[in-house]
């Protein structure tokens, strides 16, 4: 089932999410819904608070195009255990801020620990777009958006555009 994606500004996107004590079928169904929602958007990552669920769950798939098989990742309680000193700049966007993009500097490589869909502990090093995406999504679980890395003026400009967009959407 496709879920509704919350748009910035929304107080639920600013909350620190609670860790998940245990996996259950309801959470697995939520993860499947989030993957479907992300693919249909389309996007490369989605965090539970973006669909209004304040729990530590993210999904991502940074495979682009049709030449490679999809690689859906479901991460419960993801944590960054280490990050490289080397940095990388990516032009980021977010499904909660449609049509807004900006360069964000983050560590080029991160090691992430999480629990997968089957409840198994996983740990992996990500680089490239995967590293940026993992950090962007995990930030969502701490109530942080990519625009929080920008200068206040730029952030306010994007927020104003979003307020306007939401007002127009509410009217239509
Ligand atoms: Zn996002």
């Amino acid at each position: 089932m496709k879920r509704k994606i919350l748009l910035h500004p929304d107080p639920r996107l600013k909350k620190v999410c609670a860790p998940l004590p245990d996996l259950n079928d309801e959470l697995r169904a939520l993860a499947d819904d989030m993957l479907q929602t992300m693919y249909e958007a389309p996007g490369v990552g989605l965090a539970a608070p973006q669909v209004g669920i304040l729990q530590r769950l993210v999904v991502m798939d940074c495979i682009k195009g049709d030449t490679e098989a999809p690689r859906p990742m479901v991460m419960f309680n993801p944590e960054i255990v280490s990050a490289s000193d080397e940095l990388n700049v990516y032009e980021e966007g977010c499904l909660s801020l449609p049509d807004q993009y900006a360069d964000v500097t983050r560590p080029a490589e991160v090691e992430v620990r999480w629990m997968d869909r089957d409840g198994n502990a996983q740990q992996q090093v990500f680089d490239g777009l995967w590293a940026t995406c993992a950090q962007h999504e995990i930030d969502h679980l701490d109530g942080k958006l990519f625009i929080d890395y920008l200068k206040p003026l730029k952030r306010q400009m994007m927020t104003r555009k979003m307020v306007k967009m939401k007002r127009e959407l509410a009217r239509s």
Side-chain angles (χ1 to χ4, degrees):
M1 186 185 78
K2 201 175 156 185
R3 305 252 179 161
K4 192 169 177 281
I5 298 175
L6 300 182
L7 297 177
H8 168 72
D10 187 298
R12 288 166 287 181
L13 294 173
K14 305 300 290 176
K15 294 269 196 295
V16 176
C17 299
L20 296 157
D22 246 324
L23 280 190
N24 55 45
D25 288 342
E26 197 185 329
L27 286 169
R28 286 192 188 91
L30 169 63
D32 293 341
D33 284 355
M34 284 170 56
L35 278 170
Q36 187 191 342
T37 306
M38 177 190 83
Y39 284 126
E40 285 181 24
V44 294
L46 188 67
Q50 290 181 279
V51 295
I53 310 285
L54 300 181
Q55 290 186 315
R56 302 190 81 83
L57 163 61
V58 307
V59 298
M60 57 180 195
D61 185 348
C62 295
I63 301 288
K64 279 182 169 172
D66 301 326
T67 48
E68 268 181 274
R71 204 176 137 208
M73 313 259 315
V74 172
M75 298 178 161
F76 295 98
N77 295 332
E79 260 181 278
I80 291 171
V81 291
S82 66
S84 63
D85 292 331
E86 192 199 330
L87 302 174
N88 209 349
V89 183
Y90 258 104
E91 188 181 54
E92 295 190 24
C94 180
L95 293 177
S96 294
L97 290 99
D99 305 323
Q100 308 296 319
Y101 302 92
D103 282 347
V104 178
T105 305
R106 300 181 187 268
E109 279 187 17
V110 285
E111 188 166 12
V112 183
R113 182 165 56 205
W114 73 95
M115 187 166 59
D116 70 16
R117 217 182 162 283
D118 300 315
N120 298 317
Q122 300 283 351
Q123 193 155 329
Q124 197 182 314
V125 175
F126 293 95
D127 61 10
L129 179 59
W130 287 92
T132 288
C133 187
Q135 293 172 78
H136 175 123
E137 298 312 326
I138 292 169
D139 271 353
H140 272 299
L141 306 181
D142 294 316
K144 198 164 183 187
L145 301 173
F146 80 96
I147 57 169
D148 294 328
Y149 292 93
L150 309 178
K151 293 203 169 75
L153 209 64
K154 176 111 179 164
R155 181 166 65 238
Q156 285 155 16
M157 192 187 76
M158 286 182 158
T159 299
R160 270 202 301 275
K161 279 187 189 159
M162 286 302 306
V163 168
K164 195 167 161 242
M165 179 194 276
K166 287 182 79 172
R167 212 184 290 135
E168 279 161 11
L169 283 173
R171 232 186 270 132
S172 61

